[in-house]
Amino acid sequence: MTIKVGDHIPAATLVKATPDGPEQVSTTDFFAGKRVALFAVPGAFTPTCSAQHLPGFIAQADALKAKGVDEIACTSVNDVFVMKAWGQTNAASAITMLADGNADFAKAVGLTMDGSKFGMGTRSQRYAMLVNDGVVEQLFVEAPGEFKVSSAEYLLGAL
């Protein structure tokens, strides 16, 4: 079942890079008590994700925070080391990069896609959501092959 507005974020474990190495992050803890703009991409270093999706959230980070967003996070079905390198390559210090290496979170929210024909296996669909204290406040899921409603600009306009 796909997550929808009003639902609680399901319990899952993501991983983020820290100076001390990979750190497991409980979604229950991560989303508690704050308003988070979360966006998901099919893969780090892929064309649309690298040229448009991540750069848009980097460019709009201050504007999103001015509209009441406490934290901006990106998730992808990649390992923590790839997510760290992608964030560093793009100077994404304003974005918390969360690895979903086994697609556990993507599966839990019901937003997976089959990237097998590209050699990518199970991946996350492209989407953006606003989560307020663990509850989905807004959700924008892209149609296959599209990049419109999950952009930082679109989310900013919806706030």
Side-chain angles (χ1 to χ4, degrees):
M1 184 171 96
T2 303
I3 198 163
K4 60 187 181 311
V5 171
D7 286 352
H8 285 268
I9 291 291
T13 301
L14 298 165
V15 183
K16 72 176 179 178
T18 73
D20 296 324
E23 176 184 302
Q24 292 192 344
V25 177
S26 154
T27 55
T28 303
D29 295 338
F30 183 77
F31 291 101
K34 59 187 168 184
R35 200 168 185 214
V36 179
L38 174 71
F39 66 103
V41 298
F45 292 106
T46 57
T48 301
C49 305
S50 290
Q52 297 177 54
H53 212 167
L54 178 59
F57 276 91
I58 294 167
Q60 297 298 332
D62 289 341
L64 287 163
K65 289 184 178 184
K67 292 272 191 170
V69 171
D70 299 308
E71 187 159 1
I72 303 165
C74 174
T75 186
S76 183
V77 180
N78 289 110
D79 67 66
V80 68
F81 304 105
V82 168
M83 293 298 284
K84 177 183 178 184
W86 191 42
Q88 289 174 332
T89 299
N90 288 281
S93 59
I95 313 296
T96 302
M97 306 299 275
L98 297 171
D100 186 19
N102 295 321
D104 293 337
F105 182 72
K107 291 172 186 173
V109 296
L111 291 169
T112 60
M113 61 167 260
D114 183 1
S116 296
K117 69 179 179 179
F118 303 108
M120 296 169 67
T122 300
R123 293 294 176 130
S124 176
Q125 290 182 45
R126 185 182 306 282
Y127 66 85
M129 69 170 72
L130 186 65
V131 182
N132 194 353
D133 194 22
V135 177
V136 178
E137 189 174 303
Q138 297 192 44
L139 175 63
F140 305 103
V141 181
E142 294 290 358
E146 294 284 324
F147 177 65
K148 296 176 186 172
V149 300
S150 67
S151 72
E153 295 79 6
Y154 192 92
L155 183 60
L156 188 59
L159 294 178

